[in-house]
Amino acid sequence: MNPLHGKTALVTGGSRGIGRAVARRLARDGARVAVHYGSNEQAAQETVAAIVAEGGQAFSLRTELGTTDDAERLWAAFDEHADKLDILVNNAGILNDEPGIEHVTRRQFERIFAVNATAPFFVTRLALPRLSDGGRIVNVSTMLTRGWAVPESISYAMSKGALDVFTSTLAKQLAARGITVNAVAPGVVDTDIHQGRIVGEARTYLASQSPMGRLGTPEDVADVVAFLASEDSRWVTGQWVDVTGGTLL
């Protein structure tokens, strides 16, 4: 079955981690996938190659998010390859290293909001003329915005909190076009963004916080995104979907 046959999807930050898993899953479901990346061209090409090897269709495009005119440049690159959009996954994001609020500089704070909140806002704004009626928007949030306060990630959680508000508000506006807007909220996912952060006792502790007894995988998140990108999710919009393996229970 190819539930997304004939669809075109864009996954920001699609070269690694959760983004790569999402891009590959959407391609397996039949979508032609635009794999966006910021700087790691090799990773993006590896993702595209993996999709093609599995019989899918994909192309890559480079734009550094969080910079002036980033959305305009991203869509100009997209338009060179495709003439429509059906699915937008706002996945790209960054973390700060911050032991607490007293260690967060204005530059760090503004940078994390530029990438995690401002970029998805304007990428989506410019996506709307291209997005088909009945299309799908999926934003990647975090469990840190609800019920799991971590002082060491205060600016990251705040930026994702803005994305949550964006999700519910935009869902109401776009409903008349049959476009759904939802957010997925992963818990701790075993990706390279956490390299050097989750080791030893910390890894054991975090795995124990889920009643499932393990960390999440990128595929755990990608499969939920695939549902929200499909026709099966047509009656789900404006939702914050917990993808934490029960960590918030």
Side-chain angles (χ1 to χ4, degrees):
M1 294 180 63
N2 292 298
L4 300 181
H5 177 73
K7 305 290 187 181
T8 300
L10 169 64
V11 181
T12 67
S15 65
R16 298 182 299 160
I18 291 173
R20 174 180 284 184
V22 169
R24 293 183 68 175
R25 173 58 199 269
L26 296 182
R28 284 196 297 272
D29 284 355
R32 183 182 183 220
V33 181
V35 178
H36 159 266
Y37 69 101
S39 59
N40 194 333
E41 181 177 3
Q42 179 179 346
Q45 293 306 319
E46 289 172 354
T47 302
V48 170
I51 289 172
V52 172
E54 294 171 345
Q57 300 180 68
F59 59 92
S60 65
L61 53 93
R62 177 178 183 174
T63 307
E64 182 183 353
L65 299 181
T67 60
T68 303
D69 297 329
D70 51 1
E72 288 82 356
R73 287 183 283 107
L74 183 149
W75 288 113
F78 177 89
D79 290 342
E80 292 180 4
H81 297 274
D83 58 5
K84 69 163 189 168
L85 177 73
D86 302 288
I87 300 159
L88 172 62
V89 181
N90 287 307
N91 165 76
I94 59 173
L95 292 171
N96 274 346
D97 289 316
E98 46 192 39
I101 188 172
E102 65 274 15
H103 296 277
V104 180
T105 67
R106 179 175 289 273
R107 183 176 181 181
Q108 288 175 318
F109 188 84
E110 292 177 348
R111 171 65 177 164
I112 205 166
F113 266 80
V115 176
N116 293 359
T118 304
F121 182 96
F122 286 101
V123 166
T124 303
R125 178 177 177 271
L126 294 187
L128 295 182
R130 298 167 171 84
L131 188 61
S132 303
D133 289 351
R136 301 285 186 262
I137 299 173
V138 183
N139 299 318
V140 178
S141 182
T142 173
M143 71 175 179
L144 299 182
T145 64
R146 304 190 189 184
W148 189 275
V150 177
E152 294 81 6
S153 298
I154 186 169
S155 64
Y156 175 77
M158 288 177 67
S159 69
K160 291 293 189 176
L163 195 64
D164 291 350
V165 173
F166 178 55
T167 298
S168 56
T169 306
L170 190 64
K172 206 165 213 182
Q173 178 179 341
L174 298 183
R177 291 180 55 190
I179 297 170
T180 66
V181 188
N182 292 288
V184 295
V188 181
V189 179
D190 195 5
T191 70
D192 59 358
I193 197 172
H194 293 302
Q195 189 172 7
R197 298 170 184 263
I198 305 175
V199 295
E201 293 182 2
R203 185 180 184 89
T204 301
Y205 168 76
L206 289 169
S208 73
Q209 297 308 290
S210 164
M212 309 296 285
R214 65 173 176 84
L215 300 180
T217 68
E219 290 72 24
D220 291 330
V221 182
D223 289 347
V224 178
V225 173
F227 163 71
L228 294 173
S230 74
E231 176 63 16
D232 289 345
S233 68
R234 61 192 174 276
W235 204 233
V236 180
T237 195
Q239 299 306 300
W240 186 89
V241 182
D242 181 321
V243 193
T244 69
T247 299
L248 298 182
L249 293 175

